[in-house]
Amino acid sequence: MVAKVFSAEGPSLAVNLETVSEMMSRTMPDFDFLILSIHPDFPVGDVNYYVQKVFQTDRYLAFQSIDAFANDKIVQGIVALVLKFERKGNVGLKVFNGLSKYKETDLLDRFSDFLRENNDKYHVIISSPLISTLDSFIEDLNGQFAHLENVVGGVSPGFKDKRLLAYEFTKDSIVEDGFAVLSFENFAVASSVSLGFEPYGISYEVDHAEANRLYSVGKGDPFLNVVHSILRGISNPDLNYLRYCPVAFIDENGNVQNLRSFKDIGNSYVEFFGNVKRGQKFKLSFALADRLLDSDKKAVMSVKKDLKTIDLLLNFSCRARQYVLGSKSVDEVKTYMRIGNAPLFGFFTLGEIGKGATSEHLKLHNDTSIVVGIREL
Amino acid sequence: MNEEVKLKILENILKEVSRRYDELVKLQEKRMKQSFEMAVRDPLTGLYNRYFLKDVFYREVERAKRDNTCIALIFLDIDRFKTVNDRHGHETGDKVLRNVAELLRNSFRPYDTVVRYGGDEFVILSECKGFDFEKRLKELVIDLERRFKRYKISISYGFAFTPKESKTLEGTIAIADKRMYQMKKSKYHK
């Protein structure tokens, strides 16, 4: 498979797409599938029209993302991943709508059936940012399978009027309440989850939680007090400061299962980018940029070791990591490209979908960087 | 985010982690104490049990040897306790045992060890020096008979001195028990 990544950062959607198309025409005039990251500032209603007009194709998936990766650059604009298959490789696209009301419909069953019927393919999910619902959906999905190792993905980051909102675009639809699935057929795929945050101290046990809101721990102690103590002594404390210390959920052996980023602080609760359940145990964690980058390096080396040669790297990296990485944000993708030695496409997410750090079940992660290597068979 | 803020957050996390550790250590200590108490206390009367007696006996003997003093082991038994259970039921029997235990606890010094040895038997370890326990025991008999007049119970006792008469717990109890039995015999077989 030949994979190339192009980008443009101008103020106009149409002009950016034209710029990308021109770059493509010089090195890749012919392609089989197109994946586009579109900044949320561009008008939603224009996306499908201009993509189809400029690229003259209906074989595409576009999605909104504030920052996306074009090889070793972080771009706020348009990033295009162009794929040309050389042997038997193929990418299918399917959209699943109605995520917010999935408990009242047969969405879970339909998606489960889809995965069963296509269990020889590798599926990449790009989802709308219905965080809490998606987390529940993934958990329910796990109940249908012994393990799910051929699914990975990211949650689109987009905001409108301070509300999380992001769309996926296909030739037939604009998806606000669902997710798109790209199914890679006849590819060897390897993925690895990079954590980097170290847990510290004694674990807390969730006492009272509702969806993604945590109220109390232990014997009814308000967790808000712990958060306030972390921010004590800092003038004008900002929620973003808590990006350095997501909570780390641990399994019965004390191993980190997944992380949860702080989303909001209420009057009596703390909100996360993912659900929290009574009885779960977690610890406070902390990381500096270099620790995250070390973990990234190990992740991509693991993928490289599994695949030997890589045609394309995909990366779903949590937006929260940006705050910790700071000026070293771009070092993450540089590391992946340097070691993976392949074109790289991805974006900063509001949640990453991948297998658990210590389990074969699928999880909605926070604060991780999932790197995926793909090679056409 | 500036370095100062990062360091402050890390400092605050360390403080929170330390607070949690302190909390946990206190809780563990409390639980250990509770477990120990459960292991060495008789659940009905709250007195120490025979397991604790063994432990404390040898410590007291060593101390007595060092200080060149002696320890009195008093073996005490409630007379006619069986009739309390037979006539008034086990619930009343338990209540009587609890009250007798309290009376015994209050009749000796705080640093004497009062143990429920089993059933209606009690053992008291008391330092010989500075305490006229023979007199105290006689007063105890009168006090108990008066308080429990309704049940017509009394107590018989015998005592032995350690390390003078025996250095082992079993040996000292055997001597005291024999003397208690002699007292009982002389009381009820006149």
Side-chain angles (χ1 to χ4, degrees):
Chain A
M1 175 177 71
V2 175
K4 286 193 189 294
V5 183
F6 304 96
S7 64
E9 286 184 275
S12 158
L13 172 66
V15 169
N16 281 335
L17 291 173
E18 293 280 4
T19 304
V20 165
S21 177
E22 200 185 329
M23 284 189 263
M24 276 167 63
S25 66
R26 281 188 243 131
T27 54
M28 200 147 165
D30 191 28
F31 62 90
D32 292 312
F33 201 89
L34 183 59
I35 302 167
L36 292 151
S37 163
I38 312 274
H39 195 279
D41 282 351
F42 297 123
V44 169
D46 288 352
V47 173
N48 275 337
Y49 173 75
Y50 281 112
V51 168
Q52 288 171 33
K53 182 184 175 192
V54 169
F55 297 102
Q56 294 292 304
T57 184
D58 57 7
R59 294 260 300 158
Y60 70 90
L61 167 69
F63 61 91
Q64 286 186 316
S65 178
I66 298 167
D67 311 280
F69 311 135
N71 295 320
D72 59 357
K73 290 189 184 56
I74 299 172
V75 171
Q76 289 192 350
I78 306 291
V79 178
L81 169 63
V82 189
L83 303 176
K84 174 77 184 152
F85 309 124
E86 293 180 304
R87 290 178 287 280
K88 288 182 181 171
N90 192 20
V91 170
L93 172 63
K94 194 165 172 70
V95 165
F96 292 86
N97 251 311
L99 182 59
S100 63
K101 288 186 172 24
Y102 84 88
K103 285 191 190 284
E104 299 160 34
T105 67
D106 65 347
L107 174 62
L108 183 66
D109 287 337
R110 280 192 290 115
F111 187 56
S112 300
D113 289 342
F114 169 80
L115 289 176
R116 278 189 209 99
E117 287 156 18
N118 294 280
N119 67 357
D120 57 337
K121 295 173 191 155
Y122 198 89
H123 307 286
V124 176
I125 296 175
I126 311 288
S127 173
S128 305
L130 298 154
I131 303 289
S132 178
T133 312
L134 179 63
D135 201 356
S136 301
F137 182 82
I138 290 172
E139 200 178 311
D140 288 343
L141 187 67
N142 282 325
Q144 309 260 338
F145 296 88
H147 55 88
L148 271 173
E149 290 177 298
N150 61 337
V151 180
V152 80
V155 178
S156 262
F159 299 90
K160 188 171 178 161
D161 303 324
K162 293 187 182 178
R163 188 167 72 95
L164 289 178
L165 183 63
Y167 300 90
E168 294 84 55
F169 307 86
T170 71
K171 69 174 172 65
D172 298 317
S173 59
I174 299 175
V175 182
E176 180 188 337
D177 176 21
F179 53 91
V181 184
L182 292 163
S183 301
F184 286 78
E185 187 177 3
N186 295 319
F187 285 89
V189 183
S191 71
S192 187
V193 178
S194 168
L195 289 164
F197 288 89
E198 286 290 329
Y200 293 104
I202 298 170
S203 60
Y204 300 82
E205 186 169 324
V206 175
D207 171 54
H208 176 211
E210 288 170 17
N212 61 339
R213 289 184 178 179
L214 173 59
Y215 290 85
S216 60
V217 292
K219 288 188 169 64
D221 300 321
F223 188 64
L224 198 58
N225 292 348
V226 174
V227 173
H228 285 155
S229 73
I230 293 171
L231 294 172
R232 187 167 295 133
I234 300 172
S235 49
N236 303 317
D238 187 333
L239 184 66
N240 285 325
Y241 295 162
L242 295 173
R243 308 288 177 225
Y244 273 91
C245 50
V247 297
F249 282 90
I250 54 176
D251 61 19
E252 59 273 4
N253 297 319
N255 299 315
V256 176
Q257 281 187 309
N258 62 344
L259 302 163
R260 280 289 173 256
S261 283
F262 292 90
K263 181 168 175 262
D264 197 10
I265 299 175
N267 289 332
S268 60
Y269 60 84
V270 176
E271 206 168 280
F272 293 98
F273 280 98
N275 291 345
V276 177
K277 286 199 305 190
R278 182 178 165 82
Q280 279 185 310
K281 291 189 176 163
F282 64 89
K283 294 185 177 186
L284 298 177
S285 76
F286 189 83
L288 294 171
D290 290 338
R291 181 63 72 107
L292 297 190
L293 292 170
D294 278 345
S295 177
D296 292 339
K297 191 175 163 186
K298 284 182 189 139
V300 69
M301 282 172 70
S302 158
V303 167
K304 178 82 177 177
K305 190 179 165 193
D306 284 346
L307 288 182
K308 306 290 184 292
T309 56
I310 302 172
D311 292 340
L312 168 66
L313 287 164
L314 296 177
N315 177 219
F316 306 99
S317 188
C318 190
R319 289 193 86 222
R321 278 169 99 84
Q322 259 188 311
Y323 292 98
V324 180
L325 289 166
S327 58
K328 295 184 182 178
S329 283
V330 75
D331 289 1
E332 197 168 67
V333 290
K334 281 187 185 265
T335 300
Y336 291 148
M337 276 200 76
R338 180 171 52 80
I339 295 174
N341 194 28
L344 184 144
F345 175 80
F347 59 100
F348 280 126
T349 68
L350 289 178
E352 306 76 63
I353 300 166
K355 61 181 183 197
T358 58
S359 80
E360 289 169 337
H361 283 127
L362 211 56
K363 288 222 179 292
L364 178 66
H365 293 279
N366 292 164
D367 288 282
T368 67
S369 180
I370 297 183
V371 59
V372 185
I374 299 177
R375 172 169 53 81
E376 188 177 10
L377 290 171
Chain B
M1 196 187 310
N2 68 50
E3 293 300 312
E4 259 184 58
V5 170
K6 277 186 223 172
L7 283 171
K8 191 67 191 164
I9 286 180
L10 187 53
E11 183 194 356
N12 289 340
I13 288 175
L14 283 171
K15 281 183 182 164
E16 169 62 17
V17 164
S18 298
R19 183 193 71 79
R20 288 276 293 157
Y21 270 115
D22 287 343
E23 214 174 63
L24 184 71
V25 164
K26 276 190 190 132
L27 184 64
Q28 296 283 61
E29 279 174 354
K30 187 178 166 187
R31 282 181 183 159
M32 274 176 64
K33 197 173 167 189
Q34 283 170 346
S35 292
F36 177 74
E37 286 292 307
M38 276 174 65
V40 300
R41 291 277 179 186
D42 170 54
L44 177 66
T45 62
L47 296 178
Y48 287 114
N49 59 24
R50 61 198 305 165
Y51 300 108
F52 183 77
L53 175 64
K54 191 167 185 177
D55 191 42
V56 80
F57 175 84
Y58 288 104
R59 262 192 285 127
E60 290 296 299
V61 165
E62 287 306 311
R63 193 168 61 82
K65 281 183 197 170
R66 272 198 312 273
D67 299 345
N68 202 25
T69 59
C70 76
I71 304 291
L73 185 146
I74 305 162
F75 197 94
L76 194 148
D77 170 281
I78 302 176
D79 300 335
R80 295 188 291 269
F81 179 72
K82 191 176 175 305
T83 57
V84 176
N85 279 335
D86 292 345
R87 282 186 193 156
H88 303 279
H90 285 275
E91 208 174 300
T92 304
D94 284 352
K95 195 175 163 188
V96 165
L97 274 174
R98 274 198 293 272
N99 291 338
V100 167
E102 199 188 334
L103 178 63
L104 289 176
R105 204 177 8 241
N106 295 335
S107 299
F108 292 89
R109 296 165 296 188
Y111 48 85
D112 293 331
T113 303
V114 182
V115 169
R116 184 185 177 198
Y117 194 68
D120 59 348
E121 295 172 336
F122 300 85
V123 166
I124 298 108
L125 286 181
S126 178
E127 225 181 85
C128 303
K129 202 161 67 173
F131 187 52
D132 189 349
F133 57 87
E134 284 193 65
K135 178 182 171 201
R136 189 67 201 93
L137 283 163
K138 282 182 177 136
E139 287 168 352
L140 179 62
V141 171
I142 296 165
D143 201 3
L144 184 139
E145 285 174 356
R146 178 180 56 79
R147 283 189 200 211
F148 298 95
K149 191 175 171 181
R150 183 187 168 196
Y151 304 107
K152 295 185 175 57
I153 58 170
S154 180
I155 46 173
S156 298
Y157 57 84
F159 47 81
F161 300 101
T162 182
K164 192 165 126 184
E165 294 187 282
S166 173
K167 291 183 185 65
T168 68
L169 177 61
E170 294 74 18
T172 314
I173 286 179
I175 298 166
D177 182 35
K178 199 172 175 182
R179 289 174 183 158
M180 182 210 64
Y181 182 69
Q182 281 168 352
M183 180 186 196
K184 207 184 270 286
K185 201 174 162 186
S186 71
K187 271 161 85 171
Y188 299 109
H189 295 280
K190 281 183 183 155

